[in-house]
Amino acid sequence: MNVAADAPTDGEVMGLLIEETRRFLAREVDPAAIEASGRIPDRVVAAAASAGLFALTIPESHGGLGLPLRSAGTIVAELARVDRSVATMVGLHAGLGTRSLVVHGSEARRARWLPALAEGERVGAFGATEAGEGSDLQAIRTIARPEGSGLRIDGEKSYVTNGGFAGLYTLLVRTPGLGGERSFSMVCVPRETPGLSVGPEEDKLGIRASSTVTVRLDDVYVPSDHLLGAPGAGMDLAHEALGWGRVVMATGCTGTARYALDATLAHVTARRQFHRPIGDFDAARLQVSTMAATLFAMESLADRAASAAEAGGDLTGLSAAAKVFCSEGAFAICDAALQLHGAMGFLEQTGVARALRDCRITRIFEGANDVLLVHLGAGLLVARARPETPTSGHPAFDEFDHRLARLVAENRAEFGVRGTQRQLLTSRLARAEVCALAARASLDRAATEPESAELAAFAVEQLTREGHRQLDALRFIQEDERAAAALSKRAYSPWASGRSA
Amino acid sequence: MTTHALLVDPVARAVPSDDEIRARAVQLLATILERDPATVQQAHSLRADLGMDSLSALEFLSSLSHEFNIDLEVEETYGLTTLNEVVALVTQRVRGSR
Ligand SMILES: Cc1cc2nc3c(=O)[nH]c(=O)nc-3n(C[C@H](O)[C@H](O)[C@H](O)COP(=O)(O)OP(=O)(O)OC[C@H]3O[C@@H](n4cnc5c(N)ncnc54)[C@H](O)[C@@H]3O)c2cc1C
């Protein structure tokens, strides 16, 4: 192939972009000050735009960098090491905020909006959730009715990330007039459209500078080419975008976790108690090793999901697994970091407390983990066939993986479709599956990264143990179901908390 | 004895008529979808007309299996697309034939 001498390779582009991102962070981003101000200053948004951070996943044909999801994820992780609010702004824009337009927008609309989105002139936002409908998206009420050659939209979207300053909102709406009473569609609404208004910023536990608002749509009219994809295909598009977005979020979690681990390594080697560095105590060593191994597995799984996203195909299970694993992993790593920092961690100056606050939301948004797990487990029980994976050559892992496959098959044969509604069954199987996927991704990564062999081996050991623990717990499902039913019946009754009836 | 319950439980013994199966299936579906049963038609496609995704379809099939006390194997639910097909499967199973 004859490549022009001055055309940079993908690796060179990424190298430059990482440098540019680090410069942006060093010059513009003071996470404590940004958090205290409760919003990302306009100056920081403008600098992010100049650094090309809004262009990551926009196609080159439309003024973007056209990066694969993996590379975009690397940048989001880099941002998340320093400031999760800024990372959330960029990640949401690259994921849910623009993905559906990039893939399903009409050419005219793509040509109109994508260059502005790449420039950061318009920032992307996504609205599916409503005040009464979160996990159950099928119940949303915002409605778009065909009128003339367009759509008339009424409703309200809650908790819209970037919503306060976004220039383009991609919304999931009901479109009963377009193919059936229960049809849904995705539609883009530009900020300046009459009838669109945004509420005040929400006050939050973490990512306090990330914009989170309610977006109201009163008698909003948009031409029909603001629809994305086929009329009535909205739920599929939303799931596709969520699959993509969850991968971005998973990679963001690796950045936060990397920060917490680095801070911990510095602290445990410097801080002395009982005449030695606290990092010399076995218990601390094990904690730090577990943090490092968890992060290794998180990176491996997020990377696998990102590569799968690039390859196309159904991302539902893998992206959910990566999102669950990385959000829980990041929270656990931040929590361990805080513990090992002692009082210093609880105080604000180290930044560890902020990292812990900031990553808590990732277990909730873009699908609460509890809900993703029961769905993942139901999917395992009805899958036509578990994707064939060759044995890994790691005996303990292979044994666990076979046990998981066997138990899925047994439960499927025993309970049929009813099994899919037993949440203790589905979520325990799903947790085991998440362990299997993370362990497998770690093993495969170690095969190409010999220097990581020891860390990978420890990660696989821990994941295999945890996976077996989840499978062992399948034995107690009936018992646990019964106890939970009985106890919750009591606990939900008025007398349980001392309230009078 | 496992047969004991069957002998004394008239509900479990009574074999519902085709119409009854259809009506109960529609009622269950309407409850899951929170819609008026009168608007559900037998020929409706679960996905295109009723807007069901794979999860709500599983919930529906699972509640049918509870309602009629039948086992629905995962494999036999593959390829079901309309309410008619679901009702036919359930009827067949309630009648005890495969
Ligand atoms: C800071 C922030 C930013 C957000 N940004 C966006 C955005 O940009 N766009 C957008 O559309 N949404 C956004 N959201 C909304 C977010 O995606 C939802 O909060 C999330 O999907 C969960 O919905 P919910 O809050 O209504 O929780 P609910 O649906 O009320 O669930 C609450 C809890 O109940 C349990 N639960 C619910 N259903 C089940 C079930 N079937 N089985 C078992 N347990 C269950 C789970 O523990 C769950 O966590 C944001 C939220 C926050 C806080």
Side-chain angles (χ1 to χ4, degrees), chain B residues 37-52:
Chain B
T39 65
V40 176
Q41 292 165 23
Q42 292 296 306
H44 268 161
S45 133
L46 299 179
R47 199 180 156 78
D49 299 316
L50 299 169
M52 297 181 89

Side-chain angles (χ1 to χ4, degrees), chain B residues 74-90:
Chain B
V74 169
E75 285 74 10
E76 62 193 348
T77 64
Y78 291 157
L80 293 176
T81 58
T82 64
L83 181 54
N84 251 332
E85 290 164 3
V86 173
V87 170
L89 171 68
V90 171

Side-chain angles (χ1 to χ4, degrees), chain A residues 92 96 125-136 158-162 204 206-207 210-212 361 363-371 374-375 423:
Chain A
L92 192 287
L96 289 172
F126 173 85
T129 309
E130 299 178 2
E133 292 76 28
S135 305
D136 185 8
S158 306
Y159 321 120
V160 180
T161 297
N162 290 348
K204 310 187 287 293
I207 54 167
S210 168
S211 169
T212 310
I361 184 57
R363 288 164 57 194
I364 298 172
F365 66 9
E366 298 196 24
N369 286 7
D370 330 49
V371 180
V374 295
H375 291 176
Q423 294 201 335

Side-chain angles (χ1 to χ4, degrees), chain A residues 42 56 71 87 114 124 142 169 327 353 357 365-366 389 405 425:
Chain A
D42 296 344
L56 303 177
S71 310
L114 288 178
T142 297
Y169 300 84
S327 59
R357 280 198 290 282
F365 66 9
E366 298 196 24
T389 43
L425 172 64

Side-chain angles (χ1 to χ4, degrees), chain A residues 136 138-139 179-182 184 235-236 239 375 378 381-385 412 414-421, chain B residues 33 35 39 47-53 55 58-59 61-62 65-66 69-75 77-79:
Chain A
D136 185 8
Q138 297 257 336
E181 189 193 331
R182 282 182 47 92
F184 300 91
M235 208 44 96
D236 289 341
H239 285 302
H375 291 176
L381 285 174
V382 299
R384 277 167 204 259
R412 168 185 172 128
E414 182 171 355
F415 299 112
V417 283
R418 284 195 221 191
T420 62
Q421 307 304 303
Chain B
L33 298 179
R35 63 185 274 168
T39 65
R47 199 180 156 78
D49 299 316
L50 299 169
M52 297 181 89
D53 58 8
L55 291 165
L58 284 173
E59 189 186 346
L61 291 165
S62 182
S65 121
H66 272 290
N69 200 16
I70 50 174
D71 285 328
L72 291 177
E73 282 167 33
V74 169
E75 285 74 10
T77 64
Y78 291 157

